Amino acid sequence: MKKSFRTGLIVWVILSLAAVGCGADGGQKAESPDQQVLQLNVEQEPTSLDPALAFDFNSMDVVHSMFEGLMRLDENEVPQPAAAKNVEVSDDKQTYTFTLRDGLKWSNGEKLTAQDFEYAWKRVLDPETGSPAAFLLFFIENAEEYNSGGADADQVGVEALDEKTLKVKLGQPTPFFKQLVCYTVYSPVYQNGVEKEKNAFSNAESFVGNGAFKMEKWKHDDRIKVVKNENYWQADRVKLDGIHWAMSAEEATAYQQYKSGEFHMLYDTSIPPELKSSLIQKGEVKVTPGSGLEFFRFNVDKEPFNNKKIRRAFALAVDRQSIVNHVIQGQEKPALAYVPPGVKTEVGDFREKGGNILKDARYEEAKKLLKEGMEEEGWDKLPEVTLLYSTSDKNKEQAEAIQEMYREHLDVSIKLQNQESKVFFENQRNKNYQFSRSSFLADYNDPYNYLESFQTDHPVNRTNWSDEKYDELLEKAYQEKDEIQRLDYLHQAEEILIEEAPIFPVYYYNDLILEKPKVKHLIRHQVGPNDYTFVEIEKK
């Protein structure tokens, strides 16, 4: 009954919007027929557009359009020279020397130099910056030590030898370092602007980048507009006049805006769940493998999740297949381990080798574990449990489904609490939660990237969980030069993660995309944000 009511409401909203249209500020305004403007939906206010702080997909999607690193991934996921015209790698694979292109400029017309990259990378690592992505630079010599207060900035292995040459020393060979350099956190930043204004990346007036597009307007909680950057080194190849991101959080509204031509594309989180299955069957939605997973994390310092058996009980009482079939409806695969299929290594697919670790929906075992855990703690009644999630229809439906599974199969009633993205992520970072919906999108295509997040004191851990053996295996994998042995360490670590259950996985992501066929040359990456640099909107 509840599901039918919600479906009827969505249909009513769609019909109403179709009849009356969007208000003056309710959607994207039509552009001149001669303009090439890509119309997108970022759903909610980005958490940050500072390259050092942007660490969710929507924020990085916008940031990546206005910044360019030393290298960028091509359509085959191969790193290619970008701001750098070439890179030389030493015989021991630990020193990278990047040479910048001639004539690079910031969007304000000032010269861009290798010093801007050195400044930006050390700013990310500066503990005062508080970058959630700083760990992605820890492969650089003394980077982690500087970030933790154990070294000075001038000891970090990044040095501008002159205006066009950047020398990078790594702590050890890192086969995926060129991939990392393509990531948004490795972007340069305009030092004068950052030091002149505390919030240089919070408004259009002070925003300076070096990418194919530059900030024109940012109406907070409403829309972001970027326009072609005439100072970009390949400006003559950029076809788009600009990109406009609306912030339409309601799925039914966003879908109608797409149908009426106000958006050129929509992603999974903006497609009404009730319509996904039929849109996939009709071939209107593209389905491609994603690069991450949906999971839930426990704060192991808060009752009742200080108890391992209770954590495992909550993990085993979730019917992942049911959530995939009836809530998400995007042909996803239930996640019975943490690292997804498709993470390739030198010796093959990591998941194929490791197989499933977790068993799906083992209700009797879950009940037994819950009882044993409560007895260990001396509890006759389970402490109150609140599940925290960020605001969206999909997250709400999933939380409600899990709430019902616990009621039915564990005889446990949990409370649900939703928060807007900024507040939600801040509370999660500060470990101000008990039980939380979470997601992970890979930063580079290696199993280490997935598993490193749960090391003791890792900034993405956010569970208060610490395991000496797990840390030891990750450290061994980090140091290991033999690929087979390295992967064996990672498989062992993943088994500990699932067994100790500071988290439990639910499903592996697919990318579901509604896209107008006239959008050409957009590069989507399995790992990392989209590349809009050479997009063209075909005229018909």
Side-chain angles (χ1 to χ4, degrees):
M1 178 69 81
K2 193 173 193 179
K3 184 90 165 177
S4 300
F5 170 76
R6 188 174 180 277
T7 305
L9 178 61
I10 284 180
V11 172
W12 178 83
V13 170
I14 289 174
L15 291 174
S16 299
L17 286 169
V20 302
C22 292
D25 245 4
Q28 307 277 58
K29 294 181 181 179
E31 301 296 327
S32 162
D34 297 325
Q35 283 193 305
Q36 290 261 325
V37 178
L38 188 64
Q39 307 279 12
L40 304 173
N41 182 30
V42 78
E43 299 175 24
Q44 298 182 29
E45 176 79 0
T47 56
S48 176
L49 296 186
D50 181 341
L53 302 177
F55 202 46
D56 59 274
F57 179 81
N58 284 340
S59 298
M60 290 190 296
D61 199 48
V62 180
V63 168
H64 198 56
S65 73
M66 294 186 286
F67 289 89
E68 181 172 79
L70 295 167
M71 308 191 79
R72 289 175 85 95
L73 295 174
D74 65 16
E75 62 274 14
N76 299 312
E77 310 296 332
V78 178
Q80 300 292 348
K85 65 180 179 182
N86 61 54
V87 54
E88 295 180 1
V89 183
S90 62
D91 291 340
D92 66 1
K93 311 296 184 185
Q94 290 185 233
T95 301
Y96 288 66
T97 304
F98 296 91
T99 303
L100 272 60
R101 297 182 184 277
D102 296 331
L104 292 179
K105 294 181 180 180
W106 291 106
S107 56
N108 63 3
E110 293 187 26
K111 182 189 293 187
L112 187 153
T113 69
Q115 283 85 355
D116 293 312
F117 281 93
E118 179 182 349
Y119 172 78
W121 294 11
K122 289 181 177 178
R123 175 176 175 263
V124 170
L125 292 167
D126 186 340
E128 293 295 318
T129 302
S131 170
F135 69 95
L136 291 174
L137 282 74
F138 285 178
F139 303 94
I140 299 169
E141 186 178 67
N142 291 322
E144 184 172 7
E145 290 78 3
Y146 173 47
N147 184 251
S148 61
D152 297 327
D154 58 9
Q155 294 176 280
V156 177
V158 180
E159 180 184 6
L161 303 181
D162 54 45
E163 288 192 342
K164 292 182 58 181
T165 311
L166 187 75
K167 182 180 179 180
V168 184
K169 292 187 68 177
L170 305 183
Q172 63 189 49
T174 305
F176 44 80
F177 186 67
K178 288 182 183 179
Q179 287 188 50
L180 287 170
V181 170
C182 299
Y183 209 62
T184 52
V185 73
Y186 278 84
S187 301
V189 295
Y190 177 57
Q191 182 175 354
N192 290 341
V194 170
E195 295 181 346
K196 181 179 178 181
E197 184 167 343
K198 182 178 180 181
N199 299 310
F201 299 105
S202 65
N203 62 81
E205 290 71 26
S206 62
F207 207 104
V208 177
N210 73 314
F213 303 93
K214 63 181 181 180
M215 179 75 77
E216 180 186 54
K217 182 178 181 180
W218 185 356
K219 186 177 180 182
H220 290 277
D221 297 305
D222 183 43
R223 68 188 65 225
I224 294 170
K225 295 184 177 183
V226 301
V227 295
K228 180 177 176 178
N229 175 15
E230 69 278 6
N231 289 311
Y232 178 56
W233 69 277
Q234 290 189 101
D236 60 332
R237 292 186 58 200
V238 176
K239 304 298 184 185
L240 289 178
D241 294 297
I243 308 171
H244 294 181
W245 284 272
M247 300 178 195
S248 188
E250 169 57 46
E251 293 159 349
T253 305
Y255 178 69
Q256 178 57 27
Q257 288 174 278
Y258 171 80
K259 294 295 287 184
S260 65
E262 293 181 50
F263 294 141
H264 285 109
M265 66 186 72
L266 286 182
Y267 293 99
D268 179 22
T269 50
S270 291
I271 303 172
E274 288 82 358
L275 302 180
K276 284 181 184 178
S277 181
S278 63
L279 290 172
I280 291 171
Q281 290 176 7
K282 293 175 184 176
E284 294 182 35
V285 168
K286 298 178 184 178
V287 180
T288 59
S291 63
L293 74 159
E294 187 93 354
F295 70 100
F296 285 75
R297 66 178 91 216
F298 302 112
N299 187 337
V300 303
D301 279 356
K302 293 194 176 183
E303 297 178 348
F305 300 119
N306 56 308
N307 187 282
K308 169 184 167 180
K309 288 182 177 178
I310 294 175
R311 297 196 301 269
R312 292 188 63 217
F314 272 62
L316 288 171
V318 173
D319 185 342
R320 291 155 181 78
Q321 191 66 60
S322 177
I323 288 174
V324 165
N325 291 346
H326 303 298
V327 178
I328 309 304
Q329 301 184 56
Q331 299 182 348
E332 292 82 2
K333 294 181 180 178
L336 300 177
Y338 193 73
V339 180
V343 177
K344 303 296 183 183
T345 70
E346 292 178 7
V347 295
D349 188 295
F350 185 83
R351 186 73 283 125
E352 287 181 7
K353 175 69 175 177
N356 293 334
I357 302 174
L358 185 66
K359 303 296 184 183
D360 194 17
R362 296 296 180 101
Y363 303 130
E364 292 306 315
E365 185 177 350
K367 288 178 184 177
K368 179 173 177 290
L369 286 167
L370 179 62
K371 181 181 178 182
E372 291 175 356
M374 290 177 65
E375 288 174 351
E376 288 177 359
E377 301 298 330
W379 295 331
D380 294 325
K381 182 180 179 182
L382 192 71
E384 186 177 274
V385 172
T386 299
L387 170 57
L388 181 67
Y389 64 93
S390 54
T391 303
S392 84
D393 290 343
K394 182 205 76 171
N395 291 346
K396 180 175 184 289
E397 287 201 18
Q398 181 177 223
E400 289 174 342
I402 289 175
Q403 180 186 46
E404 176 60 20
M405 290 172 188
Y406 291 153
R407 186 201 64 76
E408 181 178 355
H409 302 298
L410 292 181
D411 195 26
V412 169
S413 296
I414 68 169
K415 294 183 177 180
L416 305 181
Q417 180 183 6
N418 71 298
Q419 294 176 341
E420 294 301 319
S421 292
K422 275 190 173 181
V423 178
F424 169 80
F425 285 119
E426 185 65 22
N427 279 323
Q428 198 177 81
R429 279 193 292 270
N430 293 330
K431 304 182 183 73
N432 185 25
Y433 76 94
Q434 184 185 22
F435 178 28
S436 170
R437 176 259 169 195
S438 295
S439 65
F440 182 82
L441 294 172
D443 308 311
Y444 52 94
N445 198 24
D446 189 271
Y448 184 86
N449 184 216
Y450 288 85
L451 298 171
E452 67 173 318
S453 302
F454 299 101
Q455 296 174 91
T456 301
D457 296 328
H458 193 286
V460 182
N461 187 328
R462 303 173 190 168
T463 65
N464 286 312
W465 178 69
S466 176
D467 186 275
E468 187 175 340
K469 180 63 174 177
Y470 186 87
D471 292 345
E472 179 186 332
L473 288 165
L474 265 293
E475 182 60 28
K476 285 181 176 180
Y478 184 73
Q479 300 289 342
E480 182 60 55
K481 293 180 173 61
D482 180 80
E483 182 70 351
I484 294 176
Q485 183 60 65
R486 183 181 81 96
L487 295 174
D488 182 59
Y489 290 142
L490 293 176
H491 282 299
Q492 291 181 54
E494 186 183 34
E495 289 175 2
I496 291 174
L497 180 67
I498 298 300
E499 170 66 23
E500 292 296 317
I503 57 95
F504 67 84
V506 181
Y507 64 90
Y508 299 123
Y509 288 145
N510 281 339
D511 290 330
L512 272 61
I513 303 154
L514 276 168
E515 182 177 274
K516 304 292 184 184
K518 62 183 178 180
V519 176
K520 306 296 182 183
H521 314 306
L522 189 156
I523 299 177
R524 281 194 186 85
H525 298 300
Q526 186 170 354
V527 177
N530 297 320
D531 191 335
Y532 303 113
T533 307
F534 304 119
V535 167
E536 185 173 3
I537 301 172
E538 189 176 74
K539 302 294 183 182
K540 291 190 177 180

